[in-house]
Amino acid sequence: MSSRSISFRLVLWYSLLLTGIFTALFALLYFNVGRFLQNDMSTSQLRHAQQISNSLLTNIRLTGEDKLAAKAKEFFEPESNDRFIRITRESDGKVIYTSGTPTDDGFNPANVPALPFSPETEYSRQIKLPGDKTLLVTALKYTSPDHQDYLVEFGALLDPVKAMLNHLILQLALGLPLAIAIVTVGGYWLVRRALAPVEQITRAAERITQHNLNDRLPVTNTGDELERLSISLNRMIARLDDAFQNSIRFVADASHELRTPLTILRGELESMAEDGRLGTEWRERAASLLEETEQLSRIVEQLFTLSRLDAGEAQSDCSSFDLAELARTTAEQMNLLAEDKGISITCEAGQPVTVEGDPTRLKQVVVNLLDNAIKYTSKNGAIQLRIRAVNGHAILEVEDNGIGISAEALPHVFERFFRVDQARSDDSEGAGLGLSIVKSICTAHGAEVDVVSVPQMGTRFRVKMPLHKN
Ligand code: ADP
């Protein structure tokens, strides 16, 4: 998954957000549990302090302070319960009772500093003791029936609560990554599911070219944004299709309409160029105009061919035939043109190579490629035409040792009206449409055409098309 994909970014943000929320919730839980446990302990300590006051201090004058220790031991057993009890008289600050060291030796009561008498009648304090222990002590001010004030302190170690909180934090720390992992995997699955139609729409959109503009994108029927998007895109493709068909029709109609007047013009100019009644200058002018008109006719013919190919009329005469044979005869026919420039055409076409398509159109491919090879190869050059069958494909190559094409121009040679440099050729016929026609015919036949070229060394065009399946 690419780090720039929507799925990745959604899952990342979602996981970060949930990590933040989970961490905040877990922290809140930890602190609230801690506070609750401590409050609960303070409340229970206060209850004990009240019980001590009521049972030991109410009749202290009658029972006597010296009996206090025995009674406290009898009723509350602070040592065996690991509790701390201390009773202080306010009038002289005398400690009249302190519980002994607990049986588990958890703390030493002698180390517990006295809590002050304060205006509050009850309060709790945490007291740090040696050995990293904390004692929670709740103090209660008690006034006996004989108006004597006492401070009753009741305490216990906070360590079990701390241990419980430590256990809780460990569980939360282990649970957090697990919860985030589950949520992330679940989120990723949901996002992938939600965005799966986008993948289908993208793949379908990539398959749509000018040749299949009547194809449409899949519509999910989910009533969501993606359904609306694919419907809108389909409407856009339909509008593009209309505009494209209009432009094809316009070029086809325009070139068709131009053919007749151009034929008449050519005929007229031909007869003028040969008309002995006209002076030499006028005949030469007519001959020059005739050349221009012929060039114009060729362009119109090429535009007409391209518009028909764009309209999908490439394979009107589809049949299976031997491409090697077709290439051989075409090369023989073009040999005359090559010989004029002292160029030799060698044809390597041994075995029959059967393909399926329109032979007239495919002949045009061979003609255009050979024509270019002759045009852009200097005198006494050599052209090789090779046809062979390789791995279920027919390979047709036209290689010359001519002027070649620069690396900057190479990617553009199949574009319409692209010419590398008119000054390179003494020929003024080309309009930059020959290779566009080759490309269109190849595409219509499911073939690929590519070119490699080294300036001043030569050029090789290669057509690869599927062999005919019996
Ligand atoms: P044109 O009809 O002008 O030749 P093409 O579409 O056939 O147009 O070719 C486009 C350009 O590619 C040409 O202008 C030419 O410079 C270059 N080109 C095509 N074939 C060759 C070749 N075999 N050697 C060198 N240049 C070539």
Side-chain angles (χ1 to χ4, degrees), residues 302 368-369 372-373 375-376 400 403-405 413 415 418-421 424 429-436 459 461:
Q302 284 179 321
N368 286 9
L369 293 179
N372 276 348
K375 269 196 294 194
Y376 302 107
D400 63 55
I403 58 175
I405 305 167
V413 290
E415 289 168 15
F418 179 83
R419 302 199 69 201
V420 175
D421 175 10
R424 293 169 2 126
E429 288 172 14
L433 289 172
L435 289 179
S436 329
T459 306
F461 282 91

Side-chain angles (χ1 to χ4, degrees), residues 48 75-84 102-104 154-156:
H48 280 102
F75 293 141
F76 301 105
E77 291 189 30
E79 291 79 9
S80 51
N81 286 319
D82 308 324
R83 297 286 182 261
F84 167 77
T103 41
D104 71 349
F154 190 95

Side-chain angles (χ1 to χ4, degrees), residues 18 40 65 84 95 108 123 263 268 295 312 315 355 393 403:
L18 279 174
D40 189 52
E65 287 178 0
F84 167 77
V95 175
N108 181 357
Y123 62 89
T263 315
E268 289 293 326
Q295 162 75 343
Q315 306 205 32
V355 294
H393 283 92
I403 58 175

Side-chain angles (χ1 to χ4, degrees), residues 226-299:
L226 289 179
E227 183 183 340
R228 285 214 309 279
L229 177 72
S230 39
I231 291 174
S232 301
L233 286 175
N234 278 341
R235 287 192 190 130
M236 188 185 78
I237 296 169
R239 288 194 294 273
L240 281 177
D241 192 15
D242 274 355
F244 190 64
Q245 296 306 332
N246 278 341
S247 119
I248 291 173
R249 264 196 303 277
F250 172 76
V251 178
D253 293 348
S255 43
H256 186 70
E257 290 302 320
L258 285 170
R259 282 164 125 190
T260 320
L262 277 173
T263 315
I264 298 168
L265 203 58
R266 257 176 31 217
E268 289 293 326
L269 286 169
E270 252 165 28
S271 56
M272 275 174 77
E274 287 160 13
D275 192 343
R277 287 171 299 168
L278 294 173
T280 328
E281 191 195 333
W282 284 104
R283 284 213 306 277
E284 277 172 6
R285 281 190 183 185
S288 157
L289 283 175
L290 180 64
E291 252 177 50
E292 293 300 322
T293 314
E294 276 169 352
Q295 162 75 343
L296 198 56
S297 293
R298 268 192 295 276
I299 296 176

